[in-house]
Amino acid sequence: MSKIQQAAEFFKMDDLVEAERLYKETIMSQPESGQAYLGMGLIALKVQQFDKAVSFLTKSCELLPDEASPLIHLSEAFNGVHSEVDALTVLEYATKHLPNIAALHYYLGLQYTIFGDLDNAEQSFRKVIKLTKDPITSYALLELTRLKSDPEQYLTLLEERLGQTTIAAQEKTVLHYALGNVLDGMENYQQAWRHFESANLLQSKLCEFKTAELSDFFKEIKTTASLQVLSNQRSLLTDHSLTEIVPIFILGLPRTGSTLLEHLLTDHQDIASAGEVTYLSHEVAAFLFSKTKSHYPNSIANLSKAQLEAAAQIYLKKMSVHAKGKGYVIDKLPANFQSIGLIYKLFPNAKVIHIQRNLADVALSIYRNYFSQNEPYFCSLKEFKQYHCLYADLMRYWHSQLPEFIHEVSYEQLVVDKINTINNILDFCGLPSQMHESSVTKVKKVIKTLSNVQVRSAMSTKSIKNWHNYAAHLSLFEESEHVD
């Protein structure tokens, strides 16, 4: 077995240290080994060192000009450094250079989708279907059903693929979600639910933990983030080299309208967005652990103001990349609701926006959408109910401790009365109401969430009380028809 093969095996086993050693040895002895550079790029992607990944994968593409894998991963690395246009350029080149590789057209379709270029996205996914019958076809079909351009035309093909006896469980899951989308559009809600249910059952088997296991973590947050701990905040310095920016955190449950709210707020001349980033839970958490040898939330208990300042600067430096000269930058990772106390300690000037939506509609939206993460509350209504209880209890705690720090927004109110809702948010942020009406279908903003198709459409009330179509299956959430 060659060193390249050995390194690949270590990579599969998640032994990145040994894999990296072997790839480096190969590069030293064979400087033209494209596979070794590809391996180093994959390791860099795995640990989210995207700048390094771009460098290694660019070299791999030069040495392996007729292989698709380096090009696909290079586009992933460019997305990681928020150079989405470069990722698009790579994939457009790749599909012209290697026009018969279905995977390249699939990833190009995804890239078009995040830019809102839905016509070209549809063409790319259609090419996948024409080129291959491999499992990637099912993923392309799922995307086509999300685009909502006459999805009924794919019904027969979806049913034929699902009827194959050799199909893997993961592909079955994707096909069930896609069929559910098609049948929902046809208002065949009974059959649609059966497919959503089958998809969730299959995916739940892949989950490695139960929601109940999070209970102690949520209790620990409340125990640790006492008023005394929260009162120790960093000083807002004005003499450091990094220009001070004000973070806006949009948080809450998934599928509550955070992407729509972000989309609308970034029409303001002073607001930019980083999207859903993990700077708090990754970079900042890692720094705090290095100083305290404790994981969050225990890591916030006894921090000095100097440590708080250093942690804040790590975050602000990351966010400044997205600011583009604007004073306010949105971080819309929903799970940041777990870190409101840390946000308060690091950024007492931050603006925290908690968006809520009718819980039954949220439950349905989560249940009918395919999440690549196999987490139990994404694929079980009972598990989601438990997760909601943990979330709601923690939000009540934050409101009791930091009553003036959090601004509440209702998704329903946002849809029905957009102008007043946005103006109230701007007032909370201390910004003038300088919004302008724009056609969301024409704006080519980068949107990487599951809502990247829906948010391009004109706002409507169709998504409000959509759960009524499946009321018989959502009795767990009926009492939550109205947002508190």
Side-chain angles (χ1 to χ4, degrees), residues 75-76 78-79 83-92 111:
S75 71
E76 182 183 352
F78 274 129
N79 279 323
S83 296
E84 291 83 6
V85 173
D86 289 326
L88 180 63
T89 300
V90 167
L91 291 167
E92 287 180 330
Q111 200 69 22

Side-chain angles (χ1 to χ4, degrees), residues 316-337:
L316 291 173
K317 186 175 181 180
K318 289 283 187 180
M319 292 294 280
S320 67
V321 175
H322 308 276
K324 300 175 183 177
K326 299 183 180 182
Y328 292 72
V329 189
I330 295 171
D331 177 340
K332 64 167 292 290
L333 188 69
N336 279 335
F337 76 86

Side-chain angles (χ1 to χ4, degrees), residues 224-280:
T224 304
S226 64
L227 271 177
Q228 181 180 359
V229 168
L230 295 176
S231 66
N232 180 28
Q233 298 169 284
R234 81 175 181 105
S235 302
L236 290 175
L237 302 181
T238 56
D239 57 350
H240 50 70
S241 58
L242 180 64
T243 302
E244 189 73 56
I245 58 176
V246 179
I248 299 176
F249 293 89
I250 301 176
L251 44 76
L253 291 172
R255 310 300 296 165
T256 53
S258 60
T259 299
L260 173 61
L261 180 56
E262 171 204 38
H263 193 60
L264 294 171
L265 285 175
T266 51
D267 281 342
H268 194 281
Q269 63 181 12
D270 295 323
I271 301 177
S273 181
E276 293 188 1
V277 291
T278 56
Y279 301 150
L280 269 183

Side-chain angles (χ1 to χ4, degrees), residues 30 32 65 114 131 171 179 307 324 361 373 469 476 482:
Q30 303 173 45
E32 300 302 303
I114 71 172
L131 285 170
E171 188 179 356
L179 276 163
Q307 290 171 332
K324 300 175 183 177
D361 276 332
Q373 312 97 314
N469 297 322
L476 274 173
H482 299 288

Side-chain angles (χ1 to χ4, degrees), residues 141-310:
L141 284 166
L142 175 64
E143 294 302 322
L144 285 166
T145 65
R146 290 181 64 238
L147 293 175
K148 302 186 185 302
S149 175
D150 189 22
E152 291 180 42
Q153 63 184 296
Y154 306 112
L155 182 62
T156 300
L157 181 55
L158 286 165
E159 290 176 337
E160 287 175 354
R161 290 190 69 83
L162 190 58
Q164 296 175 10
T165 55
T166 56
I167 193 169
Q170 193 68 40
E171 188 179 356
K172 270 187 184 178
T173 303
V174 169
L175 289 168
H176 278 300
Y177 279 116
L179 276 163
N181 286 341
V182 173
L183 292 163
D184 178 86
M186 297 168 63
E187 299 185 2
N188 187 343
Y189 302 120
Q190 185 175 359
Q191 289 294 328
W193 184 263
R194 289 178 183 174
H195 284 289
F196 293 141
E197 190 172 46
S198 296
N200 281 272
L201 284 171
L202 283 167
Q203 197 164 12
S204 64
K205 293 177 182 178
L206 301 174
C207 297
E208 297 180 351
F209 69 96
K210 294 292 185 182
T211 305
E213 295 173 37
L214 300 175
S215 180
D216 287 343
F217 172 68
F218 277 81
K219 288 178 183 175
E220 202 168 29
I221 294 174
K222 293 192 297 179
T223 302
T224 304
S226 64
L227 271 177
Q228 181 180 359
V229 168
L230 295 176
S231 66
N232 180 28
Q233 298 169 284
R234 81 175 181 105
S235 302
L236 290 175
L237 302 181
T238 56
D239 57 350
H240 50 70
S241 58
L242 180 64
T243 302
E244 189 73 56
I245 58 176
V246 179
I248 299 176
F249 293 89
I250 301 176
L251 44 76
L253 291 172
R255 310 300 296 165
T256 53
S258 60
T259 299
L260 173 61
L261 180 56
E262 171 204 38
H263 193 60
L264 294 171
L265 285 175
T266 51
D267 281 342
H268 194 281
Q269 63 181 12
D270 295 323
I271 301 177
S273 181
E276 293 188 1
V277 291
T278 56
Y279 301 150
L280 269 183
S281 56
H282 285 178
E283 283 84 350
V284 171
F287 171 79
L288 295 181
F289 179 80
S290 73
K291 297 300 179 183
T292 66
K293 305 307 176 188
S294 297
H295 292 288
Y296 179 80
N298 292 316
S299 60
I300 70 173
N302 295 299
L303 293 170
S304 68
K305 290 199 174 182
Q307 290 171 332
L308 287 170
E309 178 67 24

Side-chain angles (χ1 to χ4, degrees), residues 170 173-174 177 193 195-211 254-255 362-387 450 474 476-477:
Q170 193 68 40
T173 303
V174 169
Y177 279 116
W193 184 263
H195 284 289
F196 293 141
E197 190 172 46
S198 296
N200 281 272
L201 284 171
L202 283 167
Q203 197 164 12
S204 64
K205 293 177 182 178
L206 301 174
C207 297
E208 297 180 351
F209 69 96
K210 294 292 185 182
T211 305
R255 310 300 296 165
V362 176
L364 173 61
S365 186
I366 289 174
Y367 199 68
R368 60 174 294 180
N369 277 286
Y370 173 64
F371 291 81
S372 57
Q373 312 97 314
N374 297 313
E375 298 182 9
Y377 35 83
F378 288 157
C379 48
S380 164
L381 293 175
K382 289 183 178 179
E383 296 279 342
F384 175 68
K385 181 71 172 180
Q386 292 177 39
Y387 186 75
L450 274 173
L474 295 165
L476 274 173
F477 309 97

